[in-house]
Each structure stands twice: as C-alpha cells, then as structure tokens.
Amino acid sequence: MKIIAVGMNYAAHNKELNHTFINAEPVIFMKPDSSLLKNRKPFFIPDFSSDVHYETEIVIKINKLGKSINEKFAHRYYDEITVGIDLTARDLQSNLREKGLPWEISKGFDGAAVVGEFIELNKAGNIQDIYFHLDIDGKTVQEGNTKNMLFTVDKIISYASRFFTLKTGDLIYTGTPAGVGKVEIGNNLKGYIGEQKLLDFYIR
C-alpha cells in the first residue's frame, strides 16, 4: 500500500501560503506507509518540529489495479471515501524549501497521514461536491468543498497513474483548502464529511 498526496489543489490555500505560481498539472508527493495513523490513535508531536500543522483533506481508496488510466474511466477505480489529515512539520518544510532541498521528511514522518473511517462513496454524494470540515476542541477551524479543487479526483487519478501503478488499497490525499494551522498537545481533532464524523483523535 502506498500513499499519494496532492499539494496546492485549492486556490485559497495556495494564497494563504503565498504560493504565487500556477500549477498546470497536479503537484504529487508521496508518504510512506509508516506515516499512516488510523482513526482514534493518538499523534505524538515529534522532537524535530515545533510547528506541526493540520491539513484536512478528502481521501479516496483505490479499489483495483490500474496503470495509465484514462480520466473518463477513473471513477471506476474508487468507491470509498473518508476525511484525513496531512500533518506537516511546517518549520522543517520551510527550511528545506529555502535551501532548495527535497522536503519529504516534513510530510512523511511517522503518523503524518491520519486517516478516518471509510464510507461508501454513494453515501457521501457527488465526489466533486462534497463538504468537509475539521473541528479542534469543539470549534470548526477548517472547511472546504471538493467543488473548489483545481484538479478533480478523476484528473488526479489519471495523472498519478501515468507514473505509478495504482494498487488495491492505495490511498490518495486530494489536497487541503484554506485554514491550516498548528496543533498543540491536548487538542482533540474531529473530521467530518457533511455532518458525519469519520475521524477523532488526540494530539499528545
């Protein structure tokens, strides 16, 4: 199983992080399977960062083998969806970017890919019109709708499958909207699709 993630897929998020260039194709990066943190497991802030941020995303699960998938057939390769958190060591990422170095370690460390409980896509609605949000300690801190993606889920699948063979069980994190922020020890994070809670965990 592998984790494919998409960066800079919501214009408002790009603006809040001062990304000024326009990406003509999806920005893809990977997370190792050791970064996966399942629902209700605590996340422990690592000793190499003092500025870990939450990035709430819609996550899809690939349901069959595929390579070089035509965009018009991409919908056949997933039927489950959830909400997840792409945890980012922002201080480490910024430092690496300033030096022009790869920044995978700021995204792929242990526990950095939090994933909620999956539900059938047909119970969530149109994949490109799904409202999702994150609450921290009972307050909504981030919300988005997949209709605001720069690149649709099907486009992401088609593009990624040009380079990586997609396998059953692979996860795709589809990008985060505006509203990212820092997590603190003791925070309780709850992720929702619509009003259905699919993710619930603590920061330790």
Side-chain angles (χ1 to χ4, degrees):
M1 186 272 285
K2 59 184 170 293
I3 301 168
I4 298 172
V6 181
M8 297 177 285
N9 201 26
Y10 288 81
H13 172 61
N14 296 346
K15 184 177 180 179
E16 73 176 347
L17 292 187
N18 298 314
H19 294 309
T20 57
F21 66 92
I22 298 175
N23 41 317
E25 295 178 316
V27 175
I28 300 292
F29 62 95
M30 309 285 284
K31 288 174 173 268
D33 57 5
S34 55
S35 70
L36 192 66
L37 183 69
K38 294 186 177 181
N39 191 30
R40 300 192 180 278
K41 299 291 186 181
F43 171 76
F44 293 89
I45 294 178
D47 60 5
F48 52 76
S49 177
S50 59
D51 194 23
V52 175
H53 282 206
Y54 59 82
E55 298 187 8
T56 313
E57 317 199 0
I58 290 295
V59 182
I60 62 167
K61 183 189 294 184
I62 298 299
N63 62 11
K64 61 181 176 180
L65 187 72
K67 172 67 177 175
S68 298
I69 300 165
N70 189 299
E71 185 175 346
K72 67 181 179 181
F73 299 127
H75 67 278
R76 299 178 181 176
Y77 288 81
Y78 61 96
D79 54 17
E80 290 184 280
I81 186 174
T82 192
V83 63
I85 308 290
D86 168 21
L87 289 170
T88 303
R90 192 73 70 199
D91 47 357
L92 185 56
Q93 182 188 47
S94 296
N95 183 50
L96 291 166
R97 276 181 165 163
E98 286 176 1
K99 297 176 180 178
L101 298 173
W103 41 265
E104 280 83 356
I105 58 174
S106 71
K107 289 276 194 178
F109 53 89
D110 290 353
V114 191
V115 66
E117 301 295 328
F118 280 89
I119 59 172
E120 294 178 9
L121 179 58
N122 59 18
K123 294 180 180 178
N126 178 355
I127 187 63
Q128 290 308 145
D129 190 11
I130 292 177
Y131 170 73
F132 59 102
H133 69 281
L134 175 71
D135 289 0
I136 297 183
D137 300 334
K139 179 183 178 181
T140 299
V141 296
Q142 190 179 21
E143 55 188 339
N145 192 300
T146 56
K147 67 183 179 183
N148 295 319
M149 286 180 170
L150 299 176
F151 300 99
T152 66
V153 170
D154 290 352
K155 173 65 176 179
I156 292 166
I157 288 173
S158 177
Y159 181 77
S161 70
R162 290 173 56 194
F163 308 98
F164 314 111
T165 297
L166 301 183
K167 296 184 177 182
T168 302
D170 286 351
L171 303 181
I172 299 182
Y173 282 64
T174 58
T176 193
V180 302
K182 184 178 179 180
V183 297
E184 304 282 359
I185 292 175
N187 284 160
N188 178 209
L189 280 66
K190 296 181 179 180
Y192 298 78
I193 287 179
E195 297 306 315
Q196 185 171 0
K197 184 177 71 174
L198 299 174
L199 182 64
D200 188 346
F201 71 105
Y202 282 87
I203 305 296
R204 301 301 190 195

